[in-house]
Amino acid sequence: MMDTPCTVVPLAGTREDDFAQCLLHGLSRPQKEIPCKYFYDEEGSRLFDAICELPEYYQTRTETALLARHAPEIARRIGPQSEIVEFGAGALKKIRLLLDVVRPRGYTPIDISGDYLMGVTRTLAAEYPGLNLRPLAADFTAALAVPPLPGAHGRAGFFPGGTIGNFRPEAAAGLLRRMRASLGGANAHCKGLLIGVDLVKDPARLHAAYNDAAGVTAAFNKNLLARANRELGADFDLDAFAHYAPYNPVARRVEMYLVAQARQSVTLRGRRFDFAAGEAVHTEDSHKYTPDSFAELAANAGWRLAEQWRDAEDLFMLAWLES
Ligand code: AVJ
């Protein structure tokens, strides 16, 4: 039996994420913006979990079905006794679909929220007593030196959820390149990277997924302002902003905004920010790919799309990249 992992190792080089600094900076720009990574405080993570259950939000359930269905083929690609490194591991839900079939020697979940990661890792350790667990607290977008797990037969990366879509193509290629470097390196034999990708589809379907009838996505978007009020003592009037999330079929991305419904001022850390009526704060991009456009992105990052699994409706793709 392994020791229960009760320490989450903070990886060197991870800088403190500063919501206040980022917000002051983002709201001072000619085009106001708040980076989408700030959605995920406790309340935001709860709202995102609710999004995943929405009838309009097909992504989570489609990816989950693909993972369950193709686990044996994925296992063949990863190989036995390997190490799986997950980037932005969150609640450790999706890895469970692979563990019993892939039977890796070790699992290294990386997440920015160290305390949360410690809790969920403990639960996983109790369920998989033979698994070598190595939780790392780090920002997965940084260049991370992840030392290979001793005794493992190669390692594979895991980046589900379609989160790659939050990055502009240039940044996405940079991120995939850094993941390749993190997984490879001196004594690590990189088997590949399993990544979830949301696909280009009927704009109406995409629009519905980000403009759900129950208003959960709107609440998720507005949580950025609620969080600023809670954590930083800002005075955003949540009713004075509207959720706006159109699909841009030319750029092939959903763009999310918070739009001021009337002229207003907000005070944050002693500074005043003015909003014109109709002025938008950009909060998220969610890029969609075709299998070909994703293969091209991967190639720009030194990866080759070696295999792909899609649902019958071509809503979502699990891609297996090799270098
Ligand atoms: C978690 C980034 C994949 O882009 O669909 C859901 C986040 N934003 N609804 C996505 C999100 C609005 C989600 N990702």
Side-chain angles (χ1 to χ4, degrees), residues 22-35 225 236 241 256-260 264-266 271-284:
C22 248
L23 197 59
L24 289 171
H25 181 73
L27 294 181
S28 304
R29 301 177 64 126
Q31 169 58 68
K32 292 183 173 70
E33 65 175 31
I34 307 175
L225 308 183
F236 283 103
F241 286 85
M256 240 164 55
Y257 301 94
L258 288 161
V259 181
Q264 60 195 286
S265 303
V266 172
R271 277 175 59 185
R272 192 179 123 181
F273 295 92
D274 297 320
F275 294 82
E279 186 174 351
V281 183
H282 184 205
T283 56
E284 186 180 50

Side-chain angles (χ1 to χ4, degrees), residues 25-45:
H25 181 73
L27 294 181
S28 304
R29 301 177 64 126
Q31 169 58 68
K32 292 183 173 70
E33 65 175 31
I34 307 175
C36 64
K37 64 178 169 182
Y38 295 110
F39 280 133
Y40 305 95
D41 67 345
E42 220 181 291
E43 173 68 2
S45 300

Side-chain angles (χ1 to χ4, degrees), residues 40 48 51 57 59 161-163 166 210 217 220 256 284 286:
Y40 305 95
F48 181 66
I51 287 175
Y57 198 76
Q59 295 185 42
T163 307
N166 281 161
Y210 292 82
T217 309
F220 174 71
M256 240 164 55
E284 186 180 50
S286 192

Side-chain angles (χ1 to χ4, degrees), residues 41-80:
D41 67 345
E42 220 181 291
E43 173 68 2
S45 300
R46 196 188 61 72
L47 287 165
F48 181 66
D49 286 346
I51 287 175
C52 294
E53 306 279 317
L54 290 170
E56 297 96 332
Y57 198 76
Y58 55 85
Q59 295 185 42
T60 314
R61 92 179 65 85
T62 307
E63 183 181 48
T64 299
L66 286 172
L67 282 168
R69 179 165 193 198
H70 299 290
E73 295 149 82
I74 292 166
R76 244 171 280 136
R77 288 289 186 171
I78 297 178

Side-chain angles (χ1 to χ4, degrees), residues 177-197:
R177 217 175 289 124
R178 285 192 294 283
M179 287 180 176
R180 212 174 115 249
S182 299
L183 293 168
N187 322 305
H189 169 52
C190 176
K191 297 290 192 73
L193 173 65
L194 182 66
I195 181 171
V197 183

